[in-house]
Each structure stands twice: as structure tokens, then as C-alpha cells.
Amino acid sequence: MMNNHLSFLRALLCGLLIVESTLPGLTYGKPSQRHISTYSPPHSSHKLRKKDTRLLAQLLYGEARGESQQVKRAIADSVLNRTGKRKWWGNTLDDVILKPYQYSCFNKNDPNHKKVKNPLKYDSPVVWHECLDIARETLRSDNIDDSCGATHYYDDSINPPSWTISRKPVLTLPTLRGGTISFYRLDK
């Protein structure tokens, strides 16, 4: 019952954040773009769900450990939005997350690569457990997609990737360092 109330409050809060922002350069997705996640693991075994949760938490830790919960949730949802699109990204979280050069923290030459394998060695348990909690929440079947259907994102601390050319973001969120993360929906 408590989870239903939290989901409702989160959806309500996100609905308030979806309205056009008055901050220059920040836009938020339209309510019609929000939907319930359709992710379901290929098997319902506890072991698989635990593996998916850990892998998604590792991604969140490597890509967004210093960001707000809102940014982490949107990133997690954008990852789930890639599952089931076999011809491009893959069918499972393993396929999607571990596909070469999709998420920099899993690239062997990335400084975060070692850290995602053993987060507790590099950071406080609080940081890791927040990533785990968001991963668990995101993988629930009644999860609300906080990314407005996005499949890609980029942080404005890097040069915009080529796939952003002539595309408008479906969601832009502020980062804790004062920049933004833009989310895009790429259907291939």
C-alpha cells in the first residue's frame, strides 16, 4: 500500500515538473509522453531479477552517482526503454547495458570501469544503496517512466553526440553541478 502511495506522489510531483519550465534552456516532457514501464525480465526467477538490479545499479553508480534521484530515475528508465528492441540494442538488460560503447562506465578505458565492479571500495554505502534502491524501484512492473520514453541521454559537460543533431530532447533535467542532462527518444 505504501508503494502505491509513493508511486502516486512521485507521479504527481513529476506531473508538476513536466509543465514548461521558466528557467532558460530547461524543458520538461509533456504528460502525454509519460507512461508505465513495460519492462519485464525474460524469466521471473529471483536470481535473474537480482542480477538485473545489480547491473542497473552499477550503471547508475558509474553514470550518475553524484546526481539527484530524479536524474538517476530518468537514466534508469531510458535504459529500460532500450530493452526489447532486439535489432538495435538487445532484448535483455545485459544486452543493452553491456553493449560496447553504449554506457561509458562499462568501457575498459573509462576511469569508472573499475569503480562499477566494486562500488563499496570507492564510495560510501549510502551512495551505492541509493543506486540499488532506484534500480529495484525502476524494475518494478508498475514503474512510471520518468524519462518520457527516452532511449538516450547526454550530459552537457561533454560535446553533444552526433545523434543529437536535428533532434529535440524529450526531457532536460538540471544536474547538481549546475549543468543539464538532456534525454532523447531515438527509434531505430
Side-chain angles (χ1 to χ4, degrees), residues 25-38:
L26 294 183
T27 57
Y28 296 94
K30 295 175 180 58
S32 62
Q33 294 171 311
R34 294 181 47 76
H35 61 279
I36 301 293
S37 171
T38 57

Side-chain angles (χ1 to χ4, degrees), residues 7-42:
S7 292
F8 173 77
L9 290 174
R10 197 167 118 229
L12 180 63
L13 176 62
C14 290
L16 294 173
L17 293 174
I18 284 170
V19 295
E20 208 48 47
S21 171
T22 56
L23 297 173
L26 294 183
T27 57
Y28 296 94
K30 295 175 180 58
S32 62
Q33 294 171 311
R34 294 181 47 76
H35 61 279
I36 301 293
S37 171
T38 57
Y39 173 77
S40 60

Side-chain angles (χ1 to χ4, degrees), residues 49-50 81 102 161:
R49 278 190 242 132
K50 192 173 180 180
N81 290 337
Q102 293 301 302

Side-chain angles (χ1 to χ4, degrees), residues 32-119:
S32 62
Q33 294 171 311
R34 294 181 47 76
H35 61 279
I36 301 293
S37 171
T38 57
Y39 173 77
S40 60
H43 307 290
S44 60
S45 74
H46 174 71
K47 184 178 180 181
L48 181 64
R49 278 190 242 132
K50 192 173 180 180
K51 180 182 173 190
D52 285 351
T53 301
R54 180 168 176 77
L55 185 60
L56 185 57
Q58 285 175 301
L59 180 137
L60 292 174
Y61 178 83
E63 297 279 314
R65 69 182 164 273
E67 291 301 335
S68 68
Q69 288 187 10
Q70 183 183 20
V71 166
K72 287 182 185 103
R73 282 190 185 99
I75 288 173
D77 287 326
S78 73
V79 172
L80 291 190
N81 290 337
R82 290 185 179 197
T83 61
K85 296 177 179 7
R86 177 178 266 163
K87 66 180 181 181
W88 191 10
W89 297 295
N91 232 17
T92 67
L93 276 179
D94 275 15
D95 294 342
V96 167
I97 292 174
L98 300 176
K99 186 172 178 124
Y101 305 104
Q102 293 301 302
Y103 298 99
S104 62
C105 66
F106 288 101
N107 297 339
K108 290 188 191 303
N109 62 345
D110 191 275
N112 285 310
H113 183 72
K114 285 187 218 174
K115 294 177 182 179
V116 298
K117 292 183 182 280
N118 190 0

